[in-house]
Amino acid sequence: MTDAQVPNEHFLVLINDMLASGEVPDLFGDDDVENIIAGVRNEVKGAGMLDTRENCWKFFIDRVRRQLKVVLCFSPVGSTLRVRARKFPAIINCTAINWFHEWPQEALVSVSKRFLEELDVLPECYRDSVARFMGLVHMSVNSTSRLYLQNERRYNYTTPKSFLEQISLYSKLLRQKSSELTGKVLRLENGLDKLRSTAEQVEDLKAKLAVQEVELKQKNEAADALIEIVRVETEKVSTEKAIG
């Protein structure tokens, strides 16, 4: 369970009781309790104990304590964890705490390489450089945060989760920009195809026009010759009429 999964502080009351005693008061109704007791009665007898109601219930709770595992993932950033530790002491007293310190640069590079392997839009030849740069950026932010604390007395927290969010953001932006670029390339290629097609059509029209120009010239010459013949014949007829 993480911080984001705690809807309100009252929920931690149940977690605190479970960690401290192994049970949550009034979690089961009377009928459910009787069914549980009846279900473990034979096992209680087999363990050499009297199958009283109290022994059966204690047997059940002890089994829950042995088998139930609760994992709490709380961030140390801010005062939330400190306040919760005071209000719900079982969170500290009844748990084994694994404190995750900042990752060294080698770990940052290794983690980023692992995630970048799944990023198919990033060429393999660039993955090592990008992974190293991500680690360098995170370490530089840590160094700057320490200077910020010294100068301004204010904290800027960088955690492994911050680094994972950086990788996630980079992957998201790279996929988004790659998709946009692919779309632009596709539109450009379609435009070039249309231009090539138009150019071919223009050349075809030019060729047809050249042929038609030759044919038109021939027809014009034939028409001019015919007009000349008609003119000559007309003059001849006119002359003959004048003589007659």
Side-chain angles (χ1 to χ4, degrees):
M1 185 180 67
T2 64
D3 288 316
Q5 295 172 323
V6 180
N8 55 62
E9 295 294 315
H10 296 292
F11 188 71
L12 290 177
V13 174
L14 304 178
I15 299 297
N16 185 79
D17 292 342
M18 182 182 297
L19 292 173
S21 63
E23 64 176 316
V24 178
D26 301 324
L27 178 63
F28 299 104
D30 293 338
D31 293 340
D32 294 328
V33 172
E34 294 301 327
N35 290 334
I36 292 173
I37 291 174
V40 300
R41 191 177 297 277
N42 291 334
E43 296 183 57
V44 172
K45 291 179 180 179
M49 301 168 55
L50 294 176
D51 58 339
T52 62
R53 193 174 189 279
E54 292 74 15
N55 286 343
C56 290
W57 186 250
K58 184 177 183 300
F59 181 86
F60 170 72
I61 294 300
D62 289 341
R63 172 176 291 180
V64 171
R65 287 175 177 171
R66 289 193 304 270
Q67 298 184 0
L68 180 63
K69 307 298 180 184
V70 179
V71 179
L72 305 175
C73 300
F74 292 154
S75 172
V77 175
S79 61
T80 302
L81 179 59
R82 184 168 62 251
V83 173
R84 287 176 176 174
R86 288 199 300 264
K87 294 172 63 176
F88 310 105
I91 293 178
I92 303 298
N93 299 333
C94 301
T95 57
I97 299 177
N98 288 330
W99 190 274
F100 293 93
H101 296 277
E102 66 179 43
W103 292 346
Q105 187 165 358
E106 293 78 9
L108 297 173
V109 173
S110 176
V111 170
S112 57
K113 283 183 179 179
R114 167 66 181 82
F115 282 95
L116 292 178
E117 288 176 355
E118 303 173 359
L119 193 59
D120 52 354
V121 295
L122 179 65
E124 187 174 355
C125 58
Y126 297 135
R127 291 176 183 173
D128 184 70
S129 299
V130 173
R132 294 182 181 279
F133 180 72
M134 285 183 171
L136 177 63
V137 169
H138 190 78
M139 295 299 292
S140 65
V141 172
N142 289 343
S143 300
T144 305
S145 297
R146 286 190 286 269
L147 292 176
Y148 181 66
L149 176 61
Q150 293 176 4
N151 297 332
E152 303 294 335
R153 302 301 178 187
R154 298 180 64 182
Y155 288 93
N156 177 57
Y157 295 99
T158 54
T159 63
K161 183 179 180 181
S162 304
F163 184 68
L164 296 178
E165 289 176 348
Q166 173 192 343
I167 298 175
S168 177
L169 177 61
Y170 173 80
S171 301
K172 178 182 177 181
L173 289 177
L174 184 60
R175 286 193 176 96
Q176 177 183 338
K177 296 302 179 181
S178 177
S179 177
E180 293 176 358
L181 184 60
T182 300
K184 291 179 180 179
V185 170
L186 182 60
R187 287 194 295 272
L188 178 60
E189 290 178 346
N190 290 337
L192 292 175
D193 289 340
K194 290 181 180 179
L195 289 175
R196 283 191 289 266
S197 176
T198 302
E200 292 174 357
Q201 293 176 3
V202 170
E203 292 298 326
D204 185 54
L205 290 174
K206 284 182 178 180
K208 291 181 179 179
L209 182 60
V211 173
Q212 291 175 353
E213 286 180 349
V214 173
E215 293 176 352
L216 180 61
K217 183 178 180 181
Q218 292 174 350
K219 290 179 180 180
N220 286 337
E221 291 176 351
D224 291 340
L226 180 60
I227 291 172
E228 182 63 23
I229 293 173
V230 171
R231 185 184 65 78
V232 172
E233 292 296 328
T234 301
E235 290 179 354
K236 183 178 179 181
V237 171
S238 298
T239 302
E240 290 177 353
K241 285 183 178 181
I243 295 174

